[in-house]
């Protein structure tokens, strides 16, 4: 029969096992630390390669392991709210001034701005022959946008721009505007007029889009004109458009204060004026008219007439007749 162990022997045995257990725990902790470091380095490298945050990649790896181990999706980190209880609204991410102004300029040009990812639209034409606009929103740190024109199976890069809104730097490439092919430092000064270093870029985009856009209907053009007729270039261009179709024009300014149009007018372009003049010319030929008056929503009028009616029109308006070569409306 085995002798029973004394209390002293039991205590020595306990201490020996305790030391072995602590040694094993230390070795396991050292191993776990090494594994943690290797795993952290691997996650950091893979996340950088794939353009992800380390936390996003770690969550993805954990989710795949959990699904393979337990056959279901990983439970959410936060407990789901009880039915009938609204989840707390996370605080909104602040939008910096660069992002806000950049998106505003793109919206003015007619670009569709996605909430996330990419938005593509055809501004003019169809899928085979048309002008396409794209905007990609990569969070709030980078915005990518551009125009591509497809014609008979060939695509031309009108302009492609990538803007780092944090570093305030832009990268530009263009087949149509070679002088824009360079990096641009947006700078740190942001004002209400927009991104000064990109003004030329948006001016080129606006010029190209307006040239490709289908002309407005004559009623839309007439609705937009009152906002432009107080500017000398607009008046001169309007007169020139009518002179090219063999007609002259007088603008009679409103005499009373009139409330603005119910809907904001369309942005007007030179080819809208040319289309308006062509329409008026066709109406003259169809109706056999020599004088035609177009009322404007602000109370003013446009009077178009054949050159031979110049003296009659100016006499009726009690205005001095301009030179034979033409004048301003």
């Amino acid at each position: 029969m085995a002798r029973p162990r004394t209390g002293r022997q039991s205590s020595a045995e306990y201490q020996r096992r305790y030391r072995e257990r602590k040694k094993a725990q230390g070795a396991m902790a050292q191993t776990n630390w090494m594994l943690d470091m290797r795993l952290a380095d691997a996650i950091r490298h893979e996340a950088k390669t794939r353009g992800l945050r380390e936390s996003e990649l770690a969550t993805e790896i954990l989710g795949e392991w959990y699904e393979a181990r337990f056959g279901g999706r990983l439970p959410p980190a936060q407990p789901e709210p009880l039915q009938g209880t609204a989840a707390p609204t996370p605080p909104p991410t602040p939008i910096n001034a660069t992002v806000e102004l950049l998106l505003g300029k793109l919206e003015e040009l007619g670009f569709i701005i996605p909430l996330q990812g990419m938005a593509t639209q055809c501004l003019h034409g169809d899928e085979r022959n048309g002008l396409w606009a794209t905007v990609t929103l990569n969070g709030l740190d980078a915005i990518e946008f551009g125009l591509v024109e497809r014609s008979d199976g060939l695509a031309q890069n009108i302009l492609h721009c990538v803007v780092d809104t944090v570093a305030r730097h832009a990268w530009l490439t263009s087949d149509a505007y070679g002088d824009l092919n360079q990096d641009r430092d947006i700078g740190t000064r942001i004002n209400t007029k927009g991104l000064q270093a990109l003004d030329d870029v948006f001016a080129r985009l606006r010029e190209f889009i307006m040239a490709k856009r289908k002309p407005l209907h004559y009623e839309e053009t007439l609705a937009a004109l009152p906002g432009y007729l107080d500017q000398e270039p607009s008046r001169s261009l309007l007169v020139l458009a009518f002179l090219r179709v063999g007609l002259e024009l007088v603008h009679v300014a409103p005499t009373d204060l009139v409330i603005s149009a119910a809907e904001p007018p369309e942005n007007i372009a030179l080819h809208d004026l040319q289309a308006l003049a062509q329409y008026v010319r066709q109406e003259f030929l169809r109706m056999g008219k020599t004088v035609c008056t177009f009322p404007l929503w602000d109370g003013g009028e446009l009077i178009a007439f054949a050159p031979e009616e110049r003296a009659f029109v100016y006499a009726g308006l009690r205005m001095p007749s301009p030179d034979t070569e033409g004048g301003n409306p």
Side-chain angles (χ1 to χ4, degrees):
M1 180 180 296
R3 295 175 56 189
R5 289 177 294 182
T6 65
R8 188 172 183 178
Q9 290 173 333
S10 298
S11 176
E13 181 69 14
Y14 172 80
Q15 292 179 2
R16 182 183 65 80
R17 292 183 178 180
Y18 176 79
R19 287 194 298 270
E20 291 178 352
R21 185 166 62 250
K22 293 295 291 182
K23 184 177 180 181
Q25 289 176 348
M28 183 176 296
Q30 178 72 13
T31 303
N32 289 340
W33 179 82
M34 294 175 63
L35 289 174
D36 289 345
M37 291 299 297
R38 292 176 59 187
L39 181 60
D41 290 341
I43 290 177
R44 185 179 300 108
H45 176 75
E46 181 67 14
K48 184 177 181 180
T49 302
R50 294 170 57 181
L52 299 174
R53 291 188 176 90
E54 295 179 29
S55 59
E56 293 175 343
L57 181 58
T59 302
E60 178 183 330
I61 294 172
L62 181 60
E64 293 176 354
W65 171 85
Y66 187 92
E67 186 173 357
R69 176 66 177 81
F70 299 103
R73 297 184 62 182
L74 180 68
Q78 298 294 333
E80 297 182 0
L82 299 176
Q83 292 185 354
T85 304
T89 303
T93 303
I95 299 178
N96 64 47
T98 305
V99 174
E100 188 173 0
L101 291 170
L102 187 60
L103 295 182
K105 281 183 171 285
L106 291 173
E107 286 180 346
E108 290 176 1
L109 291 172
F111 282 73
I112 293 178
I113 309 299
L115 297 180
Q116 290 182 359
M118 176 184 291
T120 302
Q121 67 179 125
C122 184
L123 294 179
H124 176 69
D126 52 35
E127 292 187 1
R128 178 169 177 80
N129 298 301
L131 180 65
W132 290 80
T134 60
V135 174
T136 303
L137 205 59
N138 300 318
L140 298 177
D141 298 337
I143 297 176
E144 189 173 350
F145 62 92
L147 291 179
V148 174
E149 186 175 33
R150 300 173 187 168
S151 179
D152 297 328
L154 300 177
Q156 182 185 26
N157 172 30
I158 305 304
L159 192 141
H160 184 81
C161 183
V162 180
V163 179
D164 186 327
T165 62
V166 177
R168 289 176 178 168
H169 200 83
W171 295 265
L172 306 170
T173 58
S174 174
D175 297 334
Y177 304 111
D179 57 316
L180 295 182
N181 289 327
Q182 58 180 315
D183 298 349
R184 291 177 179 237
D185 184 7
I186 298 174
T188 58
R189 184 179 179 182
I190 304 296
N191 56 31
T192 56
K193 294 183 179 180
L195 307 173
Q196 293 181 340
L198 291 179
D199 279 347
D200 189 27
V201 173
F202 289 111
R204 303 292 182 88
L205 287 178
R206 183 178 295 105
E207 176 185 352
F208 192 90
I209 291 173
M210 295 300 289
K212 296 295 179 179
R213 177 176 61 78
K214 292 181 179 180
L216 299 174
H217 191 267
Y218 79 97
E219 292 178 347
E220 297 172 317
T221 304
L222 288 176
L225 276 177
Y228 293 86
L229 290 178
D230 59 346
Q231 305 171 25
E232 173 57 32
S234 301
R235 294 196 299 269
S236 299
L237 291 174
L238 183 60
V239 167
L240 180 61
F242 275 77
L243 288 176
R244 286 175 175 173
V245 297
L247 297 176
E248 297 186 14
L249 194 68
V250 169
H251 172 229
V252 180
T255 56
D256 299 323
L257 180 63
V258 178
I259 301 176
S260 62
E263 297 182 0
E266 295 280 351
N267 192 8
I268 201 168
L270 179 59
H271 64 300
D272 297 320
L273 302 181
Q274 296 169 350
L276 174 64
Q278 288 288 350
Y279 169 79
V280 174
R281 177 62 177 174
Q282 292 173 3
E283 287 297 295
F284 269 56
L285 296 175
R286 185 175 67 87
M287 303 294 293
K289 293 183 176 181
T290 56
V291 179
C292 188
T293 300
F294 299 91
L296 302 175
W297 59 260
D298 67 345
E301 292 180 335
L302 289 179
I303 302 177
F305 53 92
E308 58 268 22
E309 300 293 338
R310 182 187 308 122
F312 170 76
V313 171
Y314 277 85
L317 295 173
R318 298 182 180 179
M319 296 172 56
S321 179
D323 296 336
T324 305
E325 297 181 356
N328 294 328

